[in-house]
Amino acid sequence: MIKLIVSDMDGTLLNDEKNIDGEIYNILPMLKEKGIRFVVASGRQYPSLKKHFHEHIKDVVVIAENGAFVVDDGKELVVEPMAKQEVNHCLENVFALKGVEPLLCAKYCSYTRSPELLDYLSSPLFHYEMRLAEDLYHVEDDIFKVSMISHGGESAESCYDRLRPKLDDSLNLVISGDACLDTGLRDVTKGTAVAALQNMWNITPEETVVFGDQYNDVEMLKQAYYSYAMEGASSGVKRFARFQAGSNNNGGVVKAIRELTGL
């Protein structure tokens, strides 16, 4: 019996234009009636995810910042910030890369030095809450991860190869989009957040469904028997999933949920 459904956002529940599949709003009350919890798990910040679900947010548990911040109807269930020295270590190494702009991700906003990046992420495409910071080293906030956006035409894979050897072993580095990477605490992932919820709610992996498409979804795919990689996921991600869902541009997540639950 399925008791928990977890879905990534970008490339999964969102189409390539960053629009959510509106059918999810119709099935959320039905899932709740069946006693099935629905969780969205993303590298995005909490305010961005909350805006995507607006009046339906009470029917959704949010795993934000790759598992470092989990919120259920306004109640903070998981809060795992980085230490200041870890943030600074990440910044030093990101600043050493050409064509890459760092982003500090906190509970309720993100910080950037770039007005262009602020405008881009706060646009309706992403709905981010953004703040300009002249000096990222002096931001006083709990930081969950240091994200980086490649704007020099270099692929996320290439940036990964250059950055990973320079980071401490205590830090994780994952590709979260075509030109995006996230670094945070190694033992804090979407998978650890899903495991925490499973423990809280006494739900087993055999009762869990997970949908994802990127490398930052791999750990949570491992937490579910019903692990689905999206049609557009890379082969490297697909090998961690037992099943494949349809395209994110054709409502693949909702179709799979309907098939699994009989809705």
Side-chain angles (χ1 to χ4, degrees):
M1 179 181 174
I2 292 168
K3 296 182 180 179
L4 173 62
I5 297 174
V6 186
S7 178
D8 171 52
M9 285 290 278
D10 293 271
T12 303
L13 194 56
L14 301 183
N15 64 23
D16 289 348
E17 283 71 49
K18 306 298 183 184
N19 295 316
I20 197 166
D21 180 0
E23 271 301 297
I24 194 67
Y25 301 142
N26 296 327
I27 68 171
L28 284 174
M30 301 181 203
L31 291 174
K32 203 168 189 178
E33 252 181 57
K34 282 179 168 278
I36 300 172
R37 296 178 184 268
F38 184 81
V39 177
V40 60
S42 177
R44 287 185 180 227
Q45 60 170 219
Y46 174 68
S48 169
L49 298 167
K50 186 177 179 181
K51 286 172 188 174
H52 269 292
F53 286 91
H54 39 90
E55 68 263 27
H56 302 278
I57 193 63
K58 288 183 179 292
D59 297 326
V60 179
V61 177
V62 175
I63 296 175
E65 307 296 358
N66 286 335
F69 190 41
V70 181
V71 183
D72 181 8
D73 193 19
K75 183 181 179 182
E76 298 177 2
L77 302 182
V78 175
V79 183
E80 296 279 4
M82 301 169 69
K84 185 68 173 176
Q85 63 266 28
E86 291 167 328
V87 175
N88 290 346
H89 171 68
C90 290
L91 284 174
E92 287 167 9
N93 286 287
V94 174
F95 282 139
L97 299 177
K98 291 183 179 179
V100 175
E101 186 63 40
L103 183 74
L104 295 187
C105 304
K107 277 186 183 181
Y108 298 108
C109 71
S110 298
Y111 299 88
T112 179
R113 306 174 305 167
S114 166
E116 293 79 16
L117 188 56
L118 181 145
D119 290 342
Y120 178 60
L121 290 176
S122 60
S123 73
L125 199 63
F126 292 98
H127 299 290
Y128 263 47
E129 290 292 331
M130 296 293 297
R131 301 286 186 274
L132 272 179
E134 186 175 335
D135 186 349
L136 294 180
Y137 286 108
H138 288 91
V139 168
E140 295 298 327
D141 206 338
D142 285 335
I143 303 302
F144 294 121
K145 63 183 175 68
V146 179
S147 293
M148 59 215 81
I149 315 296
S150 173
H151 55 80
E154 188 172 0
S155 69
E157 288 81 3
S158 176
C159 290
Y160 179 96
D161 291 340
R162 288 200 289 150
L163 187 58
R164 178 63 268 179
K166 299 178 180 179
L167 293 177
D168 289 345
D169 289 340
S170 63
L171 298 172
N172 197 24
L173 179 66
V174 291
I175 296 171
S176 54
D178 292 338
C180 304
L181 298 94
D182 296 325
T183 184
L185 298 176
R186 178 173 287 281
D187 58 353
V188 177
T189 67
K190 291 184 184 183
T192 61
V194 171
L197 294 177
Q198 288 170 325
N199 290 334
M200 284 180 203
W201 299 332
N202 195 28
I203 294 173
T204 67
E206 290 73 26
E207 296 167 325
T208 304
V209 184
V210 168
F211 298 92
D213 76 306
Q214 282 288 352
Y215 287 97
N216 62 339
D217 300 319
V218 167
E219 286 82 2
M220 72 172 182
L221 289 170
K222 293 177 181 178
Q223 286 297 126
Y225 174 79
Y226 298 98
S227 52
Y228 282 81
M230 302 304 293
E231 182 180 297
S234 71
S235 57
V237 173
K238 286 179 178 177
R239 67 188 178 92
F240 291 99
R242 287 188 178 86
F243 308 99
Q244 181 174 306
S247 170
N248 63 306
N249 292 313
N250 196 30
V253 169
V254 171
K255 287 179 181 177
I257 290 174
R258 287 189 182 277
E259 290 173 6
L260 286 166
T261 60
L263 292 179

